[in-house]
Amino acid sequence: MKVIVIPVTPFEQNCSLVICEETKTAAIVDPGGDVERILKIVEQQDVKIDKVILTHGHLDHVGGTQALARKLNAPIIGPEKEDLFWLEQLETQSQRFGFPMTLSFEPNKWLQEDDIVEVGNIKLKVLHIPGHTPGHIALYDQQSKQVIVGDILFNGG
């Protein structure tokens, strides 16, 4: 599994491009914004995006989701359904934090503990880790021993 971290939004949160190098298939995790920047990196990597994955419903992690999903014709997967109320408040969140207007949405599929999300030949196990938000998830790749954590851990925190 190859992971390219793309800091996005004024909050510089980590959006991740998860790539299966065998199949040249990829997923975008937590596209909070800066959609054109993300698309440029996807193009540079010459991969096909087959899904957009969300670890939780905060604006800085989901703000670019709808635009990317539309442009790439990719489904939106996750987070856990307990974060629905965050997704329903996106318009208010974007006004409060001075982000571009983000409309509320629901993903094509909610995730839950022990689900497996496939990205090419990569199998990411879903871990439901509430705390930062009630529906927060992490994605664990047993083969590479890597975890995509969203906002579970903060550098220096």
Side-chain angles (χ1 to χ4, degrees), residues 55-56 79-83 86 111 128-131 133-137:
T55 63
H56 65 290
E80 204 274 345
K81 194 168 186 173
E82 290 182 39
D83 267 14
W86 284 113
L111 293 173
H128 179 211
I129 306 180
T133 68
H136 202 301
I137 61 143

Side-chain angles (χ1 to χ4, degrees), residues 79-137:
E80 204 274 345
K81 194 168 186 173
E82 290 182 39
D83 267 14
L84 173 60
F85 77 99
W86 284 113
L87 297 175
E88 291 174 335
Q89 295 178 32
L90 287 172
E91 294 168 29
T92 304
Q93 288 183 61
S94 45
Q95 290 172 345
R96 181 178 301 136
F97 294 106
F99 277 62
M101 178 55 71
T102 303
L103 300 177
S104 300
F105 68 92
E106 282 194 42
N108 298 97
K109 178 183 177 187
W110 296 104
L111 293 173
Q112 56 188 350
E113 179 82 17
D114 294 327
D115 281 351
I116 301 295
V117 177
E118 295 183 4
V119 180
N121 295 331
I122 300 166
K123 295 186 184 330
L124 300 170
K125 182 178 179 179
V126 174
L127 307 172
H128 179 211
I129 306 180
H132 183 67
T133 68
H136 202 301
I137 61 143

Side-chain angles (χ1 to χ4, degrees), residues 8-28:
V8 295
T9 81
F11 291 0
E12 294 186 331
Q13 74 83 14
N14 291 331
C15 169
S16 299
L17 179 60
V18 177
I19 301 171
C20 174
E21 294 180 288
E22 296 171 23
T23 64
K24 300 296 275 181
T25 304
I28 299 169

Side-chain angles (χ1 to χ4, degrees), residues 3 5-6 11-16 18 28-32 53-58 60-62 79 83 125 127 129 131-133 135-140 146-155:
V3 178
V5 176
I6 310 162
F11 291 0
E12 294 186 331
Q13 74 83 14
N14 291 331
C15 169
S16 299
V18 177
I28 299 169
V29 181
D30 289 348
I53 307 170
L54 305 176
T55 63
H56 65 290
H58 284 165
D60 60 321
H61 287 255
V62 306
D83 267 14
K125 182 178 179 179
L127 307 172
I129 306 180
H132 183 67
T133 68
H136 202 301
I137 61 143
L139 302 163
Y140 174 61
Q146 293 183 73
V147 183
I148 297 172
V149 298
D151 276 351
I152 296 168
L153 297 172
F154 289 93
N155 185 21

